[in-house]
Amino acid sequence: PEDGDPLESTVPLDGPVRFAATEPGAWGVIDFVRFGVPVSGAFLPLDLVYERPGVRITLDAFGGVPMWSFFVRVAATGANVLTLSEADVTLVGADGTLVGEAIEVSGPLLEIAPGGRIDGALSFEPLEEIRGVSLRIDVGGPDGPAPLEIPLNALVEADAGA
């Protein structure tokens, strides 16, 4: 953070680590196990782009261990500052009912200047069932763009097509 105490986080690596030679005499980590799942299998690359007047949201990837994390790029393509908070990011059922609340929205996504683009993550507790569930992103600001709803089934289909 810009002020205050630095943040520190510890993540257990509880399994094998895979290395590969990057050049003669040098090695790099290519995979490791975190929370019992190889990282190579914990992330789905997506590269899906959604646009509304004033905003472009790119869903770069999905990580499912230990919580669900949607890695996004949000661009303010209009003349207004955009805002995003935990209350603006939810999981909703097919009938619009709330089925999951964001437990974290990356700090830099809280405010996006006109013409700006910010990368971050939207995190949730995992759900048992995704049928009919959508990720709802309601970017705010003056004359805010219409909320975006991304069916989670579309993410599964994007992964299957990769």
Side-chain angles (χ1 to χ4, degrees):
E2 293 180 19
D3 55 1
D5 293 331
L7 300 174
E8 186 174 311
S9 176
T10 302
V11 176
L13 302 180
D14 55 3
V17 176
R18 289 180 38 206
F19 295 92
T22 56
E23 58 185 67
W27 295 86
V29 174
I30 60 170
D31 200 8
F32 58 90
V33 175
R34 178 179 174 204
F35 300 107
V37 177
V39 170
S40 60
F43 292 93
L44 298 175
L46 297 169
D47 199 30
L48 301 171
V49 178
Y50 302 89
E51 293 192 61
R52 297 279 190 272
V55 64
R56 181 177 56 251
I57 298 174
T58 304
L59 197 53
D60 285 326
F62 170 77
V65 177
M67 65 184 79
W68 285 1
S69 295
F70 298 90
F71 298 96
V72 298
R73 279 180 280 148
V74 180
T77 59
N80 295 317
V81 172
L82 300 178
T83 59
L84 193 63
S85 71
E86 281 86 1
D88 301 322
V89 181
T90 56
L91 296 173
V92 295
D95 61 357
T97 59
L98 179 69
V99 297
E101 297 179 343
I103 56 175
E104 183 178 9
V105 170
S106 297
L109 291 172
L110 298 177
E111 184 173 290
I112 304 159
R117 187 196 87 184
I118 304 291
D119 297 352
L122 313 171
S123 299
F124 296 84
E125 291 292 336
L127 298 178
E128 293 293 324
E129 175 65 45
I130 66 164
R131 186 175 304 133
V133 175
S134 294
L135 169 64
R136 186 174 201 270
I137 303 172
D138 190 3
V139 177
D143 303 318
L148 174 67
E149 289 191 10
I150 305 166
L152 297 189
N153 285 341
L155 305 183
V156 172
E157 291 164 7
D159 180 49

